Amino acid sequence: MNSEHADVVVVGSGFGGSVAAYRLAEAGLSVVVLERGQDYPPGTFARTPAQMSRAFWDPAEGLYGLYDVWAFRGFDSVVSSGLGGGSLIYANVLLRKDEKWFVEEQALPGGGYETWPVSRAELDPHYDAVEGMLGGTPYPLDHPSFATTAKAHAMQDAAAELGLDWQLPSLAVSFAPTPGAEPGLGLPIAEPSFGNLHGVPRNTCRLCGECYLGCNDGSKNSLDHTYLSAAKHHGADLRTLHEVRGIRPRPEGGYEVDYVRHDPLTKARGPEPRTISCDRLVLAAGAYGTTHLLLRDKERFPGLSDALGTRFTGNGDLLTFLLRAKDRDRIRPLDASRGPTITSAIRLPDEVDGVPGAGRGAYIEDGGYPDFVGWMVEQADVAHEVARVVRLMVDRFVSFISGAPDTNMSSELSQLIGDGAVSVSSLPLLGMGRDVPDGVLRLRGGRLHADWTTKTSEEYFARLRSTMKRIAAVLGATYADNPIWFRKRIITVHPGGGAPMGRTPAEGVCDPFGEVHGFPGLYIADGAALPGAVGPNPSLTIAALSDRMCTRLLENAGRAHGTRPVGGAVNDTTRVPEVGRGAAERTSLSFTEEMKGFYAEGEHAPGAGEQAGRQHGHRLGFRLTITVDDVDRFLEEPGHTARAEGWIDADVCGGRCHIQRGWFNLFCPGSAPDRKLMRYRLHFTDSTGRPRTLSGWKDIRHRAATRVWPDTTTLFFRVFEGHVMEGCDDDAAIAGAGILRLGLDDFARQLTTFRTEGPDGLPALERFGHFFLSELWDVYRPKIFNGHTRDAEDGLQAAEAVANPEIVTANSPAAPAETTRNAQAVTNGAAVADAEIVAASQGAAESEGAAAGNEPSPA
């Protein structure tokens, strides 16, 4: 039996994994981080040709380096392999996803929708936390030591000329020894209280342009210098050269992780596989790594969402170049090699910002490269280089035949080298934005393949290239595409998607907090969870989502979502006894309900609100996904509480509004023993930023059986100002009221949305249906039998017969004839209810009574 166990295992140490490692270790959990790559203290990043030749990741070929290069049909991609993940080679930019770019149900060209089940307002506190930890600060362009950064000024000039928004984004770079101190070049950096895991001195940025090669000065506040150092300070076990090869749920709850430990010095045989178990497993191996693991082990996770592998995006990455910039007749210096890789950004608006016809938004950022790359840029200027060589040869030949050779070659050699005009006046442009997230990752022969093309994002890339050409024109430069663009290929360093988040398993692999649907304690904390392109550089958003995930995980840590409680053992020491049932034992259930009706602001009574809303054409509707996390617990609890997620759509609220938190109670107690309520409480924010609460109820009470349909499909509701919790309605300000109804078509669709996750799917669905029908039977039975009650067993059999009349004949051949007659009575009553539906749709007296204010109260 495996002897190594931890509260949490984190796979990968990038922006999602490092944040999780720190937050969970700080909270006192035992955390093990498995990182396949090596650690890279300042001064160890490759610079020489010999070092660069070994700086790639391919263990099968004996390579354990930093760069992992992927080639797919339609694009190439570069990601990182090392302690600190992508932060080791990223360009330090900390930009937040634009508020309106958190789109909901934006149609995609090939069908389906892009939906972000989280808002900017929900992420802002976590953005703040991450920026603070990473020491985010704008490039100090106004300081004398940094003011001569030509590329930043050039981008500012171009943006002003074109009427575009220019900014100095927050960068995770230390320009000063301590926060708030005077910036300076190459100054010693004071370490934070948690220290630095490398134990190597760091210096402030010296503007060498080497950020994406790995910072040998330590001025980049990469994750190893920040989150991972803090995680180690709080006891996290950081294991490098540990590559995960498999994952699976444990029958008793939690997960097991298979891994190997690489030894670059040993080439005799393959590494020995090992296993560690954990209560919670955080997958943070990147969009490729996490998706690959889940696809490879999909059979071990029955019921895993069909969304696995979908919503792949390259975040709209596009690399182009500006060459030979001029200001009138003189060379315009751009000095791409001076400064960090990126200093400034130009923002292109999106149509969701309210700019008609703008298309999908984007950012264009100035690029950079190290000084030594300037030599390669000069040599790439083939035509001018050949001309200089020919001129030198002609001059030497003329000198030779003239008999008066010039023995001083200095001038000629100077001309041969050139004046550096190409390198000094050239600048890479880095574009990124909201491309169409319609790519698919899948396994073929055990290898990861990607189906993605620029075709569906053709308008986006055309707009991006057009704007870059306009920037080139303003700067007097020649525009040049990346050489691989002629095949419509791109290079992306920002892959996302593959295990996208969604409110339901139909929408995504994990929920809005990163927890995998149907597998409590399994989390996705990296770019794989993105349901679409972030737009700007995605690192900050990935880290903020992980921080939000950890907050939710720690809030529920006491019961650990049915797995072990906080404080689980490490290395087979004594464990706290198990509480609750393991993840593998529980079954969840979900269904989607859509209701429509009318609503009026200023009305306090639902009936009056419906009448006024109908007169003025003020419609309101919602679509909710109701999720029961544990069917057995749901049936046992008297409140029968489930989660409600989705949206409310009303013109008076500014259109579709995301439900931030929602609760649904099925057959909770009413004001009398023979009365039950279906309650809805939905927190949302309207388009003007006002928090609101929809509090609704369906009234199930002792009356004629023909009332079953209208009672269970009519929702009376009020909307309150603010986010009002249960029990506080009496003190809350009422914004309006109305009534929603479930139509026959909507009901038919609802029946097709029932889903279960877990080992007990069909029986759990049967138990849920049995509970639903028996509750209805308890309420309406007295009217069916004209006041004569029956015993519970007969009543339940009759209720089941309503849903499936064959049950009595097929499963109960000896059932009493009276039971069969009872079932038939309910069935006949349902037929009468169908007739009432038609009457209701024509404005029957029932609706008129509600409009007059005679609807029931929620008490």
Side-chain angles (χ1 to χ4, degrees):
M1 185 173 180
N2 179 53
S3 62
E4 186 175 25
H5 181 87
D7 291 332
V8 184
V9 168
V10 180
V11 181
S13 62
F15 284 97
S18 64
V19 172
Y22 162 63
R23 288 291 312 277
L24 302 181
E26 183 192 37
L29 297 174
S30 59
V31 177
V32 173
V33 177
L34 301 178
E35 166 55 52
R36 66 176 183 171
Q38 305 182 56
D39 61 329
Y40 290 91
T44 63
F45 291 101
R47 288 296 184 269
T48 69
Q51 292 170 343
M52 289 298 296
S53 71
R54 306 293 301 171
F56 297 92
W57 176 263
D58 190 351
E61 299 297 326
L63 297 172
Y64 304 93
L66 182 60
Y67 303 102
D68 190 8
V69 183
W70 297 70
F72 298 107
R73 188 180 68 180
F75 69 100
D76 300 319
S77 190
V78 181
V79 294
S80 176
S81 180
L83 188 64
S87 75
L88 300 176
I89 63 172
Y90 86 134
N92 322 303
V93 177
L94 303 178
L95 275 171
R96 304 187 182 198
K97 182 175 175 66
D98 296 67
E99 182 174 3
K100 294 185 178 180
W101 293 13
F102 287 87
V103 297
E104 294 190 36
E105 297 205 0
Q106 186 172 42
L108 299 176
Y113 299 87
E114 178 185 350
T115 293
W116 284 76
V118 61
S119 69
R120 169 68 178 268
E122 291 172 307
L123 274 189
D124 269 337
H126 306 284
Y127 277 138
D128 292 341
V130 174
E131 277 199 71
M133 189 68 165
L134 295 180
T137 182
Y139 186 69
L141 191 60
D142 57 349
H143 190 277
S145 300
F146 305 85
T148 58
T149 308
K151 62 179 183 176
H153 291 296
M155 291 287 281
Q156 185 177 24
D157 292 345
E161 180 73 19
L162 298 175
L164 298 173
D165 174 58
W166 174 86
Q167 60 182 292
L168 292 170
S170 183
L171 302 177
V173 177
S174 291
F175 298 108
T178 58
E182 186 74 7
L185 305 180
L187 303 176
I189 296 174
E191 293 295 354
S193 59
F194 50 74
N196 192 288
L197 62 87
H198 297 303
V200 177
R202 302 167 60 207
N203 297 308
T204 59
C205 181
R206 57 184 176 86
L207 310 183
C208 65
E210 299 178 2
C211 305
Y212 66 88
L213 297 177
C215 182
N216 274 331
D217 293 300
S219 53
K220 176 194 285 194
N221 299 328
S222 49
L223 297 168
D224 50 335
H225 298 310
T226 53
Y227 275 103
L228 291 170
S229 288
K232 184 175 182 179
H233 174 75
H234 288 287
D237 184 357
L238 311 180
R239 304 181 185 180
T240 57
L241 290 169
H242 283 61
E243 183 178 12
V244 172
R245 295 288 178 85
I247 58 175
R248 58 185 171 275
R250 304 173 73 207
E252 65 269 35
Y255 299 88
E256 288 185 340
V257 181
D258 298 327
Y259 66 93
V260 296
R261 184 182 184 279
H262 293 296
D263 184 354
L265 301 179
T266 302
K267 300 179 181 180
R269 59 187 180 88
E272 180 183 352
R274 308 179 185 188
T275 301
I276 182 172
S277 63
C278 57
D279 298 329
R280 304 171 190 84
L281 175 58
V282 178
L283 299 181
Y288 300 137
T290 290
T291 306
H292 192 199
L293 273 175
L294 290 173
L295 286 170
R296 187 169 56 190
D297 292 333
K298 187 175 181 180
E299 292 184 359
R300 295 174 170 179
F301 294 85
L304 196 63
S305 170
D306 290 338
L308 180 62
T310 66
R311 292 288 177 267
F312 178 78
T313 168
N315 202 55
D317 283 4
L318 183 68
L319 172 64
T320 64
F321 302 91
L322 306 184
L323 304 174
R324 303 187 191 90
K326 291 184 177 181
D327 185 2
R328 296 181 177 87
D329 295 329
R330 291 182 294 180
I331 292 173
R332 174 165 188 160
L334 299 179
D335 286 333
S337 61
R338 179 174 174 78
T341 298
I342 293 172
T343 61
S344 65
I346 292 174
R347 180 182 182 275
L348 306 186
D350 193 297
E351 61 186 3
V352 298
D353 296 322
V355 182
R360 290 173 169 262
Y363 281 80
I364 299 173
E365 299 168 353
D366 58 73
Y369 47 73
D371 280 330
F372 64 81
V373 176
W375 285 91
M376 291 184 272
V377 174
E378 287 294 322
Q379 296 305 312
D381 189 22
V382 177
H384 289 77
E385 179 68 16
V386 170
R388 289 197 294 269
V389 172
V390 170
R391 186 162 55 250
L392 175 63
M393 293 176 63
V394 169
D395 289 345
R396 299 314 300 161
F397 179 73
V398 170
S399 174
F400 176 77
I401 64 173
S402 69
D406 185 355
T407 58
N408 190 334
M409 292 284 294
S410 299
S411 175
E412 287 88 343
L413 291 175
S414 173
Q415 293 177 24
L416 179 61
I417 294 172
D419 57 7
V422 176
S423 57
V424 79
S425 63
S426 298
L427 180 69
L429 290 182
L430 307 172
M432 63 200 74
R434 287 206 317 116
D435 64 352
V436 176
D438 59 353
V440 178
L441 299 176
R442 52 171 55 94
L443 288 187
R444 291 178 183 167
R447 292 180 177 273
L448 192 66
H449 283 252
D451 291 330
W452 184 89
T453 175
T454 57
K455 290 182 180 178
T456 51
S457 298
E458 193 169 356
E459 291 184 5
Y460 162 81
F461 284 111
R463 180 195 184 198
L464 196 56
R465 292 176 66 241
S466 174
T467 306
M468 290 172 165
K469 290 177 181 178
R470 294 168 61 201
I471 293 173
V474 170
L475 299 179
T478 300
Y479 170 86
D481 280 314
N482 187 318
I484 67 173
W485 178 256
F486 81 98
R487 295 173 56 199
K488 295 298 186 289
R489 290 178 65 86
I490 65 162
I491 297 176
T492 179
V493 294
H494 300 135
M501 64 175 66
R503 298 184 184 95
T504 68
E507 274 190 3
V509 174
C510 59
D511 68 16
F513 292 92
E515 191 169 23
V516 175
H517 290 294
F519 294 93
L522 176 60
Y523 294 86
I524 298 173
D526 55 25
L530 298 174
V534 173
N537 314 65
S539 52
L540 179 62
T541 296
I542 293 170
L545 286 169
S546 181
D547 191 70
R548 179 174 180 263
M549 175 199 80
C550 292
T551 299
R552 169 60 68 90
L553 187 158
L554 293 171
E555 287 174 351
N556 297 326
R559 62 184 184 90
H561 295 280
T563 59
R564 303 181 195 279
V566 173
V570 181
N571 297 331
D572 209 31
T573 56
T574 304
R575 294 173 179 166
V576 178
E578 297 277 344
V579 296
R581 295 181 302 128
E585 298 177 44
R586 299 184 337 192
T587 300
S588 63
L589 178 147
S590 66
F591 62 90
T592 299
E593 180 178 47
E594 188 162 358
M595 301 189 72
K596 305 180 184 70
F598 295 92
Y599 163 80
E601 296 260 293
E603 295 290 348
H604 287 204
E610 182 194 40
Q611 188 176 49
R614 189 187 298 272
Q615 289 174 351
H616 296 94
H618 292 165
R619 297 181 179 274
L620 186 145
F622 65 49
R623 189 172 76 184
L624 302 180
T625 295
I626 308 297
T627 302
V628 177
D629 291 317
D630 185 335
V631 173
D632 287 339
R633 179 176 293 177
F634 173 84
L635 298 179
E636 292 166 2
E637 293 175 347
H640 309 301
T641 305
R643 287 185 286 118
E645 300 166 303
W647 46 256
I648 293 171
D649 194 356
D651 290 339
V652 294
C653 294
R656 187 168 294 181
C657 305
H658 166 59
I659 294 168
Q660 292 157 291
R661 294 187 71 187
W663 299 264
F664 169 73
N665 299 93
L666 181 63
F667 297 127
C668 59
S671 56
D674 60 353
R675 185 188 182 199
K676 301 290 179 70
L677 295 172
M678 297 186 198
R679 288 183 175 273
Y680 298 71
R681 183 168 298 274
L682 311 174
H683 289 177
F684 67 100
T685 301
D686 67 15
S687 62
T688 64
R690 294 177 299 180
R692 293 195 164 192
T693 300
L694 185 150
S695 175
W697 66 98
K698 294 176 183 176
D699 194 48
I700 314 298
R701 65 172 70 197
H702 167 58
R703 44 190 168 189
T706 56
R707 292 287 312 166
V708 172
W709 173 264
D711 286 354
T712 56
T713 60
T714 303
L715 180 70
F716 305 93
F717 72 93
R718 295 187 179 97
V719 174
F720 295 104
E721 301 286 358
H723 288 167
V724 181
M725 299 304 294
E726 185 177 359
C728 301
D729 290 7
D730 292 343
D731 300 323
I734 299 175
I739 297 177
L740 302 180
R741 303 182 192 277
L742 181 70
L744 276 174
D745 290 344
D746 293 327
F747 176 69
R749 280 194 296 271
Q750 179 175 323
L751 293 178
T752 69
T753 66
F754 278 81
R755 299 286 187 274
T756 59
E757 297 284 341
D760 200 21
L762 184 57
L765 184 59
E766 291 174 349
R767 291 195 299 275
F768 180 86
H770 188 277
F771 165 75
F772 186 89
L773 293 172
S774 64
E775 289 291 316
L776 291 180
W777 178 257
D778 285 345
V779 173
Y780 294 101
R781 176 181 55 181
K783 284 291 184 179
I784 294 174
F785 293 107
N786 296 317
H788 298 288
T789 60
R790 314 299 300 171
D791 65 46
E793 183 178 355
D794 289 348
L796 294 179
Q797 290 175 348
E800 288 172 344
V802 176
N804 190 354
E806 290 80 6
I807 291 176
V808 175
T809 304
N811 296 340
S812 305
E818 187 175 14
T819 301
T820 306
R821 288 194 299 273
N822 294 343
Q824 187 61 48
V826 178
T827 305
N828 292 339
V832 175
D834 288 343
E836 285 201 3
I837 296 167
V838 177
S841 67
Q842 297 171 345
E846 180 71 31
S847 178
E848 293 298 327
N854 297 329
E855 70 279 346
S857 74

